[in-house]
Amino acid sequence: MPEVMSEQAEVEAPGEPATRPVVADIERALEAILMVADEPLPLVSLATAIGAPVPAVRQSIERLVADYDGEDGGPRRGFELREVGGGWRLYVRPEHDAVVADLVLTQNPTRLSQAALETLAVIAYKQPISRGSIASIRAVNVDSVVRTLVGRGLITEAFTDPETGAIHYETTGLLLTQLGINSLDELPPISPLLPDGADGFDDLR
Amino acid sequence: MPEVMSEQAEVEAPGEPATRPVVADIERALEAILMVADEPLPLVSLATAIGAPVPAVRQSIERLVADYDGEDGGPRRGFELREVGGGWRLYVRPEHDAVVADLVLTQNPTRLSQAALETLAVIAYKQPISRGSIASIRAVNVDSVVRTLVGRGLITEAFTDPETGAIHYETTGLLLTQLGINSLDELPPISPLLPDGADGFDDLR
Amino acid sequence: MASTTPGALPSLLEAGGDDQAPGFSLALDNFSGPFDLLLSLIAKRELDITEVSLSAVTDEFISYLHGLDSGGELDRASEFLVVAATLLDLKVAGLLPQGELVDEGDVALLEARDLLFARLLQYRAFKEAAAWFGEGLERESTRHARVVRLEERFRERTPELVWTLTAQDFAALAALAFAPREIPTVGLDHLHAPLVSIREQAAQVVALLRGGEPLTFRQLIAGIEQRGVVIARFLAVLELLRHAAISFEQVEPLGDLTLTWTAPQWSDESLATLGADYDA
């Protein structure tokens, strides 16, 4: 759909299949879908749902973000479109969080303990990793902490080592969402903090 | 939002406390609230939530309706603000129903996943039960599965613990119908795993 | 091997424990301040580990423990144990003689010490990262995403559920869901490295060498990954040497050790007393 790029995209070129959505339609259809989505929707899912090519959907998403941010001459909306946990989702803009919190009954889960946070960090940077390996880095037993993290949906069982039977854990999309980041690439770099990279530490076991 | 300032006069009388939100602020706060509102919200609730007088809120709602309908020079949004049953809520605009219905269809397969079935079984045998308790028995995060089961009408919210705020779930008549039984008493016993286990499992947390 | 040049240390380490509530702090002869700072200084080698009196640290820690009453503080207390154990290891390595790198042993020692420094750094790194995770989770917990019940008209259009389970199937599913997936145990592996018996390892060495071709030590430990087993096997070789059951040959310094079975007579009783010195 090359016309998508131009301003005239809303006018369909002759011969174009009538069913193919035009730019403005894509944005409006995205708005409709985002209204009912209850989890972050990846570009591909959005594109599939609307029946539009991914690049066009990406462009439309960008325009919507700018639109809601008030960069198109309209108002800066009370909501915003964010890319979090690998997908796009509508959020209340932070300055209105307080007003909304009073109204919406949200159950904030209890805060994670320091031990749980540190274990989470180890898993995030060294996944997939077994409980034994976590324990040897943390130098404490991590069984109950790992169970807590699994129960919170922040980590999940990735696979079981066929030889040792050790379950290896990895982080979930929910963790990304709850951290407000889009992918593991957005974790702060930690390798400079680990002098010899990850390999050397395995020897410590 | 300088252009809005001039219209401020419509609401704010001279000498009004400066803390009272101005028109544009009311609209943005309303957008924020409507973004997360599950049920249609009456004007009075909206006014209470943002601490603005009802007439001002009514006016702002009207402007938002016009805004989303594209009557302010902006696009006609994929969603609309409608008054239903005495309250206001954001809905998908009907012309996008088809796209949204497709998405809903793909997100709701005709069969429940194994995870959903097991969670349903846990709820059936231990109801009323909170999501936290389900999660600790299943050792996974069950938020989205519980949402699916509620959406399917197989479980429903029984009550909210006044102390913890935790919602407790119970199964519905639909589950009994699906299982071909008349009451929960007819669920086959799953002893000896369960009888004295009820307490034991809680300890696993 | 891990090298911890001070210049490579990230500024994060210098933050010490500022971000945390005041925790365990120390007043030693040559150091006074929060425990975290002590760690940073040692990690940066601005304070010689050998000059820190661990017994004084421990005394202060114990009196600190007496004043604790909340879970959060206990969290920090258990953390201290982890670091203290590492410090102790470090100190042991630090006290051992340094100087010219004469033999493999010294090199190994230095490497071990670097590994311990690395471990301390790694510990600090994950601690810093944990703070980042904590902040992120905290920040995001106040955010509100749109999660609303599906509109009635869409709910009506969700496809009819295909239900094939009988009540019996359902009960079986429940039993499956309730069955503990693993027997909860408190692992103790982290407290002690698994015990390796020198005697058992000697038996292996005897079995490999007795009446066979000479083997190099490298061959004796082929395929063994656990460091403890390698060490135990080496000690077993030393013991067997002491009992004159084997002889060894090393053609060049740092070259392969070739071991030959020499004992004219050998009984399993000899094996039974072997390594007794190492029994605790």
Side-chain angles (χ1 to χ4, degrees):
Chain A
M1 201 191 306
E3 302 79 11
V4 168
M5 304 305 172
S6 74
E7 292 297 310
Q8 286 75 31
E10 284 150 51
V11 184
E12 284 202 277
E16 277 281 291
T19 51
R20 188 172 285 189
V22 291
V23 170
D25 284 351
I26 295 181
E27 285 174 43
R28 304 291 80 82
L30 285 173
E31 285 183 324
I33 285 174
L34 291 166
M35 253 330 101
V36 298
D38 59 3
E39 57 188 9
L41 290 176
L43 274 184
V44 175
S45 306
L46 291 168
T48 310
I50 308 178
V54 171
V57 172
R58 179 180 296 117
Q59 203 181 27
S60 291
I61 284 282
E62 277 163 19
R63 296 168 70 105
L64 277 181
V65 171
D67 181 354
Y68 297 159
D69 285 351
E71 287 167 18
D72 281 4
R76 190 162 175 269
R77 300 288 171 184
F79 49 85
E80 62 178 337
L81 187 51
R82 290 175 75 201
E83 188 177 24
V84 158
W88 292 89
R89 197 177 191 189
L90 287 169
Y91 275 79
V92 169
R93 217 172 268 281
E95 56 256 46
H96 299 292
D97 276 341
V99 170
V100 170
D102 290 344
L103 197 84
V104 186
L105 186 89
T106 43
Q107 228 191 309
N108 273 336
T110 49
R111 287 165 67 173
L112 291 174
S113 68
Q114 181 68 18
L117 285 172
E118 286 176 20
T119 303
L120 187 57
V122 170
I123 296 170
Y125 285 99
K126 303 199 67 158
Q127 59 186 308
I129 183 171
S130 71
R131 258 182 313 189
S133 304
I134 304 166
S136 75
I137 290 173
R138 299 261 309 123
V140 289
N141 184 274
V142 295
D143 289 2
S144 81
V145 166
V146 164
R147 224 172 9 239
T148 301
L149 293 174
V150 169
R152 285 285 189 89
L154 300 175
I155 61 169
T156 186
E157 296 177 5
F159 62 88
T160 303
D161 188 307
E163 276 179 35
T164 64
I167 301 167
H168 285 64
Y169 295 87
E170 63 186 8
T171 56
T172 63
L174 186 65
L175 171 69
L176 300 180
T177 306
Q178 294 201 356
L179 283 172
I181 61 173
N182 188 41
S183 88
L184 289 173
D185 299 340
E186 293 175 38
L187 293 180
I190 198 178
S191 41
L193 290 171
L194 302 181
D196 197 29
D199 297 339
F201 296 110
D202 294 338
D203 297 343
L204 290 175
R205 261 172 253 164
Chain B
M1 49 203 108
E3 65 282 354
V4 184
M5 291 316 205
S6 58
E7 289 155 337
Q8 220 170 300
E10 293 168 28
V11 206
E12 281 200 287
E16 282 277 291
T19 51
R20 187 170 285 187
V22 294
V23 170
D25 285 349
I26 296 181
E27 284 175 42
R28 303 291 81 80
L30 285 173
E31 284 184 320
I33 289 173
L34 291 165
M35 203 35 63
V36 292
D38 230 344
E39 305 290 337
L41 290 175
L43 277 183
V44 176
S45 308
L46 291 169
T48 311
I50 56 179
V54 172
V57 172
R58 177 180 295 116
Q59 202 179 28
S60 291
I61 286 282
E62 275 163 21
R63 297 169 70 102
L64 277 180
V65 171
D67 181 356
Y68 296 159
D69 284 353
E71 287 166 17
D72 281 3
R76 192 161 176 270
R77 300 287 169 187
F79 49 84
E80 60 180 345
L81 185 52
R82 280 207 333 248
E83 188 176 16
V84 171
W88 293 89
R89 187 190 192 269
L90 288 170
Y91 291 93
V92 170
R93 208 175 276 281
E95 56 252 50
H96 299 290
D97 275 7
V99 169
V100 171
D102 276 357
L103 183 80
V104 169
L105 206 66
T106 56
Q107 287 190 334
N108 291 274
T110 55
R111 283 165 198 279
L112 289 177
S113 67
Q114 178 76 11
L117 285 171
E118 285 183 24
T119 302
L120 183 58
V122 167
I123 297 169
Y125 278 90
K126 296 206 54 161
Q127 58 188 308
I129 184 172
S130 71
R131 261 182 311 190
S133 303
I134 305 167
S136 70
I137 291 171
R138 300 265 304 122
V140 288
N141 181 277
V142 294
D143 290 359
S144 84
V145 167
V146 164
R147 212 157 47 221
T148 301
L149 294 174
V150 171
R152 289 302 192 147
L154 292 166
I155 62 170
T156 184
E157 297 177 4
F159 63 88
T160 303
D161 187 309
E163 274 179 37
T164 63
I167 300 166
H168 285 63
Y169 296 87
E170 62 186 11
T171 56
T172 63
L174 178 61
L175 176 67
L176 299 181
T177 310
Q178 299 282 25
L179 288 172
I181 57 177
N182 291 314
S183 90
L184 289 172
D185 299 338
E186 291 177 40
L187 278 178
I190 54 168
S191 50
L193 270 171
L194 198 58
D196 61 339
D199 299 328
F201 287 117
D202 293 336
D203 296 342
L204 288 177
R205 255 172 264 160
Chain C
M1 276 298 158
S3 66
T4 51
T5 51
L9 291 180
S11 56
L12 270 178
L13 288 172
E14 297 179 22
D18 308 3
D19 50 334
Q20 301 218 343
F24 172 44
S25 44
L26 289 161
L28 308 177
D29 290 344
N30 53 352
F31 173 84
S32 166
F35 185 56
D36 265 353
L37 181 59
L38 176 70
L39 281 190
S40 298
L41 292 177
I42 292 171
K44 286 190 287 182
R45 298 195 180 173
E46 286 176 14
L47 186 65
D48 191 343
I49 179 73
T50 57
E51 287 168 12
V52 176
S53 161
L54 285 187
S55 66
V57 171
T58 309
D59 285 348
E60 294 234 353
F61 180 68
I62 288 170
S63 57
Y64 167 73
L65 273 187
H66 283 308
L68 289 188
D69 47 8
S70 79
E73 286 173 316
L74 276 178
D75 237 10
R76 230 170 292 137
S78 65
E79 184 177 293
F80 167 84
L81 295 179
V82 174
V83 179
T86 311
L87 280 182
L88 188 63
D89 286 351
L90 260 177
K91 180 147 176 150
V92 169
L95 287 172
L96 289 168
Q98 311 171 38
E100 299 270 312
L101 301 186
V102 197
D103 59 27
E104 261 183 307
D106 286 350
V107 175
L109 196 64
L110 287 177
E111 285 174 346
R113 197 163 61 154
D114 273 344
L115 275 175
L116 286 167
F117 272 113
R119 175 164 194 158
L120 197 56
L121 282 177
Q122 172 178 254
Y123 178 83
R124 304 266 314 154
F126 283 124
K127 208 159 115 77
E128 299 292 345
W132 184 86
F133 277 79
E135 284 159 20
L137 294 171
E138 186 79 29
R139 193 180 335 109
E140 204 62 22
S141 71
T142 63
R143 298 301 310 271
H144 298 275
R146 179 171 171 89
V147 187
V148 302
R149 202 170 311 198
L150 210 51
E151 295 168 32
E152 191 56 38
R153 64 179 195 266
F154 296 120
R155 253 188 292 171
E156 283 165 0
R157 276 194 246 171
T158 54
E160 186 101 0
L161 207 54
V162 176
W163 189 274
T164 54
L165 294 180
T166 65
Q168 289 300 334
D169 296 337
F170 193 66
L173 213 52
L176 182 69
F178 282 115
R181 297 220 264 155
E182 53 189 309
I183 295 158
T185 52
V186 177
L188 296 172
D189 291 356
H190 61 286
L191 293 178
H192 299 284
L195 292 174
V196 183
S197 158
I198 291 169
R199 212 164 292 138
E200 276 173 29
Q201 292 306 317
Q204 297 281 337
V205 174
V206 171
L208 285 166
L209 287 174
R210 193 177 177 184
E213 295 287 304
L215 293 174
T216 65
F217 185 70
R218 204 179 294 280
Q219 287 170 311
L220 269 186
I221 58 165
I224 296 172
E225 283 170 9
Q226 300 91 328
R227 197 175 268 205
V229 176
V230 173
I231 293 169
R233 202 157 278 201
F234 183 70
L235 292 173
V237 166
L238 291 180
E239 281 294 295
L240 289 169
L241 267 173
R242 233 170 73 174
H243 286 75
I246 56 175
S247 67
F248 81 93
E249 188 183 21
Q250 190 172 27
V251 180
E252 52 181 337
L254 304 183
D256 274 347
L257 278 176
T258 306
L259 303 161
T260 312
W261 188 255
T262 55
Q265 55 199 43
W266 179 263
S267 71
D268 286 343
E269 277 112 67
S270 321
L271 195 60
T273 57
L274 189 130
D277 295 354
Y278 295 94
D279 290 345

